[in-house]
Each structure stands twice: as structure tokens, then as C-alpha cells.
Amino acid sequence: MDDHGFVGRYASVKRFVAKVRGTTAPEARVVITTAPGEEAQVDYGEGPMVRDPATGKHRRTRLFVLTLGHSRKSVRLLTWRSSTQIWAELHERAFRRLGGAPRVIVLDNLAEGVLSPDIYDPSLNPLYRDVLAHYGAVALPCRVKDPDRKGKVEAGVGHAQKTPLKGLRSESMEQAQAYLDRWEERWADTRIHGTTKRQVAVMFAEEKPALRELPIEPFRYYRYGTRTVNLDGCIEVEAAYYGAPPGWLGRKVNAQWDELHVRIMDPKTGLLLREHLRTRRGFHRIEDRDRPARTPQSTENLLRRAHSAGSHIGALCEHIHRVEREPGVRRILGVLALARKHGPAAVEDAAQTALEAGAPTYRFLRRYLERHPPLTLRQVDPLIRQLTLYRDLIDRKTGDPT
């Protein structure tokens, strides 16, 4: 506008364009009716101001709302923040409050539920997808810029924000949630809905038997990510190593892990390739069928060097390779490094002790040598006298004047 000498403001241009364009007649919207137990809609909204226990200041919370499509029964939950797991946990809490789960969950394209929006084939967040599958439900993301598809839950969000939460400031999250639950029970559930012209609680009593029964156990949450199979045939998960099937070197796989297991899956088909028990940091889990059929030439050379350093050193390195296979090569190199540092004799004695103690590992060997350093002759010390003094003493005792 500056280039053409226009001195008006941007808002003036907007008003002029709107006047020229004119108004369009609103389009009729189809009323979406659902069978009992068929559908629920979920969404986030702004929650009340609650005092944060960490900072002592009031902080805006998030309001999670799940609304059943048939009865308009809503579950409203407050949370400080959102993540993929929190989003899924809120669904679980809502299902438990309802006493069952619907068959379809309608949501918008927020990242906690949808990784990549698409009209025909949206990519769902795997954790969210698996949580819904655990409860017998499937996700149905809305089309982009089509919020009317989940208008029932948006009305539920607005109803809570305009009625009980308007201007609310609470001293704790528990206090705010209790106030919201009391309003839900006494007012929201007992109201006559504007569209159905029936009481929400009565319609929910009719819909509840149609909900799917809840499973006996809650969902076991996991973390997930993409990993590359290293040259040793393993992927790394939280500083531990887990073997993949042969033929996957240098390729990417999907990984899931929890406190007990690590699962390796094909990124294209989702098929489970391997499942391992969790191990400690720095350790390996490899199935015997995934280990190489023959020992590489370089490993055989290391074992020969170990035997040449000492019989017990060789036996300890053979045990490491027999138990840990290729991942144990690094520990064999560590044993040979200890032999160079402390001397073969000291390491040979330490290796004999390790074998006799039933702990033939590199870690035991290293700690033993740290706590029992080998004895060495000192060249300079206040207690060591000069050699000429010893010579004169011997001459006096033997009577030899020379």
C-alpha cells in the first residue's frame, strides 16, 4: 500500500473487501444421529486457572471432554499439560467413568492422536491407536477444516467454559476437578438437552448397556521410536543393545519398549520381528538364532592373542566369547588392554581368580586389578641406601681391603 500512496489502514481494506464480496447464505448442516454406544467425540479446551504447586502461581489448565454421540453424556477432566500418553490416559479415565467404551472415537487432527492428517488414510499415533484397540474402539479423525463433524463435543466444551468454569480460580487441581464433577452430576446430567428434548441422564441410562465392556487389565503403556540396526546386528534402546534378525543391517526398524520388554517391528508391515527382555545399560540381548554361524577371522586372532598372553586369560576370553558372542569382542579387547597396562603376569593371576570365583567377566577383572594392584620394585625410596654403603659394609665384614 505504501508503494501506491494509500494512507488508509489494513482494517479499512478488510471492511471494503467484505462489502464488495457480499454475504453468502449459510449452508444447511446435516444432523448427525448415532446409535447408542456407537460413537464418542473428544476434544481439548481451556480449563480454569489453578494454582501451580511448583511455582505457587495460578496457571491455565487444559480441559479434556469426551461426549457420547447418542445421549450427549460428557466426561470432563482437567490436566496440566498434554502428551501422547496423557491424551490416551484421559481416554481410559473417561471410559472407566462411563463404565464402558464406544466403538468409534471422533477427534480432530491434534498431534497426540494423528501423526499426519489425510482425507483418505490418516496416520494415527501408534500408542493412541493401540490404547483404543485395547478397549475395542477405533479412531475416526475429522477432515481438515471440518469442525462441524465433532460439533457435539465442541458444544460440551463451550457449555463447561461458559457455565461452571467461567472466572473460576482454584487452589488445587483436586479442588477444581471436584467442583467440575459436582456440576456435571447435579446440573449437566439433569438438564434437558436442547436438541433431543430429553434429560441427559435418562438417555445415558439407555445408552450405557450398549457400550463395550471394559477389559480386565488396563493398557500397558510403552514408549516407541525408530532405530537403525547397527553393524553388530543390534539396535540401541536406552543405552542397551537388542538383536535384530539377519538381513536388517543398516536398515530402520520400529521399536517399542516398556519396563519389561523391547519389541522390534517391521516399519512397513508392523509385524513383530523380535521381542527381548530388558537388560542393563551397556549389555546385549541377542537370540542364538541371530548369532553368526562362524567366528570371524578377526575374533579368532584376538582369542589367539589372549591365549598367548596366558592360559587363564585365554580361558576367560573364550568364556566371554562363548556367552556373549560378537558383543563380547569389545570386552575381549578390554582384557588385552588390561594385560598391556598391568602386565600379563598380574592379569593372568587376576583371570585365575575370576575363573575360580565363578565370575569370568571383564568387569570383575578390571575391578580386581583396581583393588589389588600388582607389586613393583621401587628404584628411589628414603629407606633404600646407596650401593656403595653396602659394598663398604661387606668389605669390612670379610676383611677384604679392596
Side-chain angles (χ1 to χ4, degrees):
M1 293 187 294
D2 295 338
D3 297 338
H4 300 280
F6 182 72
V7 296
R9 295 182 178 274
Y10 179 73
S12 301
V13 178
K14 286 182 62 178
R15 288 193 298 269
F16 176 77
V17 171
K19 184 177 180 179
V20 172
R21 180 182 298 171
T23 58
T24 57
E27 297 181 0
R29 296 293 182 179
V30 178
V31 179
I32 300 175
T33 59
T34 57
E38 181 66 24
E39 179 184 293
Q41 301 176 9
V42 293
D43 200 3
Y44 270 137
E46 283 191 355
M49 298 292 290
V50 178
R51 190 177 299 278
D52 190 342
T55 63
K57 299 180 180 179
H58 280 86
R59 171 184 163 192
R60 180 69 66 183
T61 59
R62 303 194 74 173
L63 171 66
F64 171 84
V65 182
L66 181 146
T67 301
L68 293 177
H70 177 75
S71 64
R72 275 65 165 185
K73 165 65 179 175
S74 294
V75 177
R76 297 172 174 89
L77 303 170
L78 299 176
T79 181
W80 285 115
R81 58 185 180 87
S82 180
S83 67
T84 301
Q85 182 166 333
I86 291 176
W87 172 252
E89 288 175 345
L90 290 170
H91 282 68
E92 281 197 300
R93 290 174 57 189
F95 294 159
R96 285 195 291 268
R97 288 198 174 197
L98 294 174
R103 292 164 178 78
V104 178
I105 298 293
V106 179
L107 70 157
D108 57 15
N109 293 280
L110 77 167
E112 287 88 341
V114 181
L115 294 180
S116 57
D118 188 270
I119 296 178
Y120 304 107
D121 187 22
S123 178
L124 296 177
N125 194 309
L127 179 63
Y128 179 59
R129 178 198 59 212
D130 291 347
V131 170
L132 293 185
H134 182 72
Y135 288 91
V138 295
L140 181 62
C142 296
R143 292 187 176 187
V144 178
K145 298 182 180 180
D146 185 22
D148 291 336
R149 177 61 184 89
K150 57 180 185 64
K152 297 173 184 178
V153 69
E154 290 191 351
V157 172
H159 186 207
Q161 290 176 338
K162 295 175 183 177
T163 311
L165 302 182
K166 187 175 182 180
L168 178 66
R169 299 175 74 91
S170 297
E171 295 301 314
S172 68
M173 183 69 78
E174 293 76 13
Q175 180 185 1
Q177 186 65 58
Y179 174 79
L180 186 59
D181 293 342
R182 186 169 61 254
W183 172 84
E184 188 80 43
E185 179 183 356
R186 297 183 180 181
W187 299 98
D189 290 350
T190 58
R191 79 188 191 279
I192 303 300
H193 194 272
T195 302
T196 63
K197 309 304 181 184
R198 298 181 61 192
Q199 190 182 54
V200 173
V202 174
M203 294 190 67
F204 174 64
E206 298 173 355
E207 184 175 17
K208 186 174 181 179
L211 297 175
R212 292 185 181 274
E213 292 186 4
L214 299 179
I216 298 176
E217 294 184 357
F219 183 79
R220 295 185 179 181
Y221 285 92
Y222 61 81
R223 285 159 287 177
Y224 63 92
T226 302
R227 296 291 188 273
T228 301
V229 181
N230 300 322
L231 293 179
D232 59 358
C234 298
I235 65 169
E236 181 178 347
V237 175
E238 294 186 353
Y241 306 93
Y242 301 91
W248 285 85
L249 290 180
R251 298 170 61 183
K252 292 185 178 298
V253 295
N254 290 339
Q256 294 180 359
W257 63 94
D258 52 28
E259 299 302 323
L260 298 177
H261 298 92
V262 172
R263 301 174 183 87
I264 304 174
M265 297 176 295
D266 190 321
K268 294 183 178 180
T269 63
L271 294 177
L272 180 65
L273 300 177
R274 290 292 183 269
E275 183 177 37
H276 301 279
L277 292 174
R278 290 290 299 270
T279 187
R280 293 177 292 171
R281 295 169 61 90
F283 282 74
H284 291 71
R285 289 281 191 188
I286 303 176
E287 295 187 4
D288 292 336
R289 55 178 170 168
D290 297 332
R291 301 183 187 276
R294 58 181 295 272
T295 304
Q297 186 68 29
S298 58
T299 305
E300 292 181 351
N301 293 335
L302 288 177
L303 294 175
R304 281 196 292 269
R305 287 172 53 190
H307 280 285
S308 64
S311 59
H312 293 101
I313 296 176
L316 186 141
C317 291
E318 287 282 359
H319 177 85
I320 293 175
H321 181 258
R322 185 170 58 255
V323 172
E324 303 184 30
R325 304 300 296 178
E326 293 309 312
V329 171
R330 291 185 179 182
R331 296 178 177 85
I332 296 174
L333 290 171
V335 173
L336 296 176
L338 291 176
R340 291 193 300 270
K341 178 179 180 181
H342 299 284
V347 178
E348 174 73 4
D349 292 340
Q352 181 179 2
T353 303
L355 293 171
E356 293 176 352
T361 63
Y362 164 76
R363 182 169 298 183
F364 178 90
L365 198 68
R366 185 188 65 191
R367 291 182 176 178
Y368 182 86
L369 290 170
E370 290 174 352
R371 298 176 182 178
H372 303 83
L375 297 177
T376 57
L377 293 177
R378 302 183 63 178
Q379 300 296 328
V380 178
D381 191 274
L383 298 179
I384 301 177
R385 301 181 182 181
Q386 297 179 3
L387 293 178
T388 56
L389 298 177
Y390 292 101
R391 183 194 62 190
D392 296 341
L393 176 62
I394 293 174
D395 291 342
R396 288 196 301 271
K397 293 295 184 181
T398 58
D400 189 354
T402 61

